[in-house]
Amino acid sequence: MKIELRDISISYGKRAVMQSISLTAMPGDVTAIVGPNGCGKTSVLRAIAGLAGYSGQLLFDGRALDRPPKKSNRSLVSYVAQDSAGRSSLTVLEVVLLGRLATLGLRVTEVDKHVVCEVLAELGILHLAQRFLVELSGGQRQLVFIAQALARNPAALLLDEPTSALDIYHQLHVLEVVRRTTQKRGLATVIVLHDLNAAIRYADQVAVLREGHMLACGKPEEIVRPDVVGPVFRVEMVSLPGAGNYPTLVATGPVHGSQGAASPT
């Protein structure tokens, strides 16, 4: 499913948090949203998920959904919030079954169990099905909540900083799973990231936000460059050769005072 944002603006009361942004997320692609804290990244995800009001056009395969979204419309999009991976006395199987609330009747059917087990196997965590969520590592819990989002068989997946509290191994593992699942299912995946090097490696397109505006959007090699993202984050950056033909950005120090962002050439 293709997601199109056309001149989307978002406000909370009288405070404007996002002004006239346009973005297209294609099926089978990972779109990463990057930018400083408070620039509106989460608000964009919430608007797509139907959890925040907006002006402008939000289209799914060229069609505007009902506002507020009906239950059938919400099932098209699965949103994993930044604080989803909390503690719970439920088992992994039970947590992922909650992702099928829209289809669950008075009791859990064998079909529901089969779908959940397939999703857990797809993400490589079927062996955790009977474990309690509280017993899992941060990376394992994050995969469980992604599995919960996938259990409803969405057309789009929205992830808000899914690697923010994870060690390096689990950051890479989660992002590899997200990219593989996106391609396999043909999802339109939109993910908020702070790690610019992860965006270079795992995203098909990168959108750069600052202070409620979109400053640049395009392929990672065109956008995630020191001259583009350095001014956005107000740091001096250099690009070094990295493994697998991916460059590595290194921040060398802060830039004091105000400095505008450069546009990609």
Side-chain angles (χ1 to χ4, degrees), residues 24-47:
T24 299
M26 298 299 294
D29 283 356
V30 175
T31 296
I33 300 179
V34 303
N37 291 338
C39 69
K41 300 185 296 295
T42 295
S43 295
V44 173
L45 293 191
R46 288 177 55 81

Side-chain angles (χ1 to χ4, degrees), residues 129-210:
Q130 299 305 323
R131 294 270 300 275
F132 289 99
L133 193 67
V134 71
E135 300 173 345
L136 304 185
S137 69
Q140 291 171 329
R141 287 199 302 271
Q142 193 60 260
L143 288 174
V144 170
F145 281 96
I146 292 173
Q148 183 189 70
L150 294 174
R152 67 177 65 176
N153 194 29
L157 180 63
L158 312 177
L159 304 173
D160 193 357
E161 297 187 39
T163 62
S164 60
L166 305 183
D167 61 42
I168 294 174
Y169 169 82
H170 286 100
Q171 289 177 29
L172 297 175
H173 180 55
V174 167
L175 290 172
E176 286 177 355
V177 168
V178 168
R179 183 168 176 80
R180 181 176 69 244
T181 305
T182 295
Q183 294 173 339
K184 178 182 176 181
R185 291 185 172 221
L187 299 172
T189 294
V190 184
I191 180 171
V192 169
L193 289 174
H194 274 300
D195 187 337
L196 296 176
N197 290 308
I200 293 173
R201 179 176 290 269
Y202 294 104
D204 298 286
Q205 104 172 316
V206 178
V208 182
L209 304 184
R210 189 178 77 172

